[in-house]
Amino acid sequence: MLVVDDVTKRFGSLLALDGVGFSVQPGEVVGFLGPNGAGKTTTMRAIMGLVSVDAGHVTWQGSHIDATTRQRFGYMPAERGMYQRMKVRDHLVYYARLSGLSAAAAANMADTWLERLSLTARAGDTVQSLSSGNQQRVQLALALINEPELLVLDEPFSGLDPIAVDTLSEVLREQVANGVALLLSSHQLDLVAEVCSAVVIVDRGRVVLQGDVNELRATSAQRYVEVEFATPTDAVWPGAVVTGGGRRHRISVPDSADPSALFDEAQARGHLVGYSFAPPDLSEVFLAAVGRTTVELPGATQ
């Protein structure tokens, strides 16, 4: 298990991390979320030993993380740090050798991930000749080349087309099913909600909310009512957001509201073709946690 315990980091007068703490279990996917500058990348770099911390500890399986332990980790930084003039397959083999694999094992793993990520045809091309999306695939392959026990991925979906996103999501699920602990950051919250079982939300260097995604949604004090009419209809409720040419209506209500009564109110206004009464989605949970909306969430610290 990865444990980040009360980690603090300053850069001069800037308090980048202020007692950050969370854990990631083997076989678990944790989404690490926050606005730009919240401390996500600094935390990930601290896990990988790329920055020292001023206070607190980072451990893996109960022990201090040293260089040998990090050989069992896979890291994908947000900023690409590849050798641009090196050929793709050579790059993968080189990284695999740095991780302690034999020459034969490194070559085998390189070919495996080239095939898995649809890069075989580009194996002899230089990194700099690849599209942004294919460079992102290579960077993912570098993170996976040593069959890691822990994956730390900073914005892994950036620059990927929908097909590549599906491939990456499938690969990540396979890794987790095999017992890999996975920490990933992303601003694409719909993908986070699909892939992650839990989230840690940071803002201004502090953890403001963490927990199981479904539990965080369910325990919100808000619910959202969405209705769709067959034809354009005047606003059913004051304050509702009306879209789709007047056919779709959406409003936030307390979790104590009666969904049947709301349904009856909407049905009285026109022919309904859709109705839902649901907790906030992950993006709304996120916005509430970082103070961008007035929705109240349990456990959020100020």
Side-chain angles (χ1 to χ4, degrees), residues 206-266:
R206 300 178 63 200
V207 174
V208 294
L209 190 67
Q210 60 180 305
D212 177 272
V213 172
N214 291 329
E215 289 180 1
L216 292 176
R217 294 181 62 226
T219 54
S220 168
Q222 300 297 115
R223 293 294 182 269
Y224 284 88
V225 181
E226 295 189 31
V227 297
E228 183 173 358
F229 295 95
T231 58
T233 303
D234 292 338
V236 179
W237 304 287
V241 176
V242 181
T243 58
R247 293 187 303 109
R248 292 188 291 273
H249 301 234
R250 187 173 194 263
I251 190 171
S252 170
V253 299
D255 62 344
S256 59
D258 182 353
S260 297
L262 291 164
F263 176 83
D264 291 342
E265 288 178 27

Side-chain angles (χ1 to χ4, degrees), residues 7 18 35 55 60-61 71 87 162 170 219 250-251 282 292 299:
V7 168
D18 184 9
W60 173 249
Q61 306 294 40
Q71 285 188 320
K87 294 180 179 179
E170 182 180 348
T219 54
R250 187 173 194 263
I251 190 171
L282 181 58
R292 305 303 192 268

Side-chain angles (χ1 to χ4, degrees), residues 159-215:
L160 298 182
D161 61 39
I163 295 174
V165 167
D166 286 345
T167 299
L168 172 55
S169 298
E170 182 180 348
V171 167
L172 296 184
R173 290 190 188 96
E174 291 170 357
Q175 294 294 306
V176 173
N178 290 329
V180 172
L182 171 56
L183 178 70
L184 70 87
S185 75
S186 178
H187 290 298
Q188 296 166 268
L189 299 187
D190 55 336
L191 294 173
V192 173
E194 180 181 336
V195 173
C196 299
S197 56
V199 293
V200 176
I201 301 176
V202 291
D203 191 25
R204 299 179 178 90
R206 300 178 63 200
V207 174
V208 294
L209 190 67
Q210 60 180 305
D212 177 272
V213 172
N214 291 329
E215 289 180 1

Side-chain angles (χ1 to χ4, degrees), residues 68-104:
T68 301
T69 304
R70 287 193 183 91
Q71 285 188 320
R72 307 197 304 272
F73 295 175
Y75 177 49
M76 184 176 180
E79 302 85 10
R80 297 192 179 101
M82 296 177 288
Y83 297 106
Q84 292 294 311
R85 296 182 182 180
M86 186 177 283
K87 294 180 179 179
V88 171
R89 186 177 184 276
D90 293 344
H91 210 323
L92 297 182
V93 170
Y94 175 64
Y95 265 57
R97 294 286 281 145
L98 288 178
S99 297
L101 275 65
S102 67

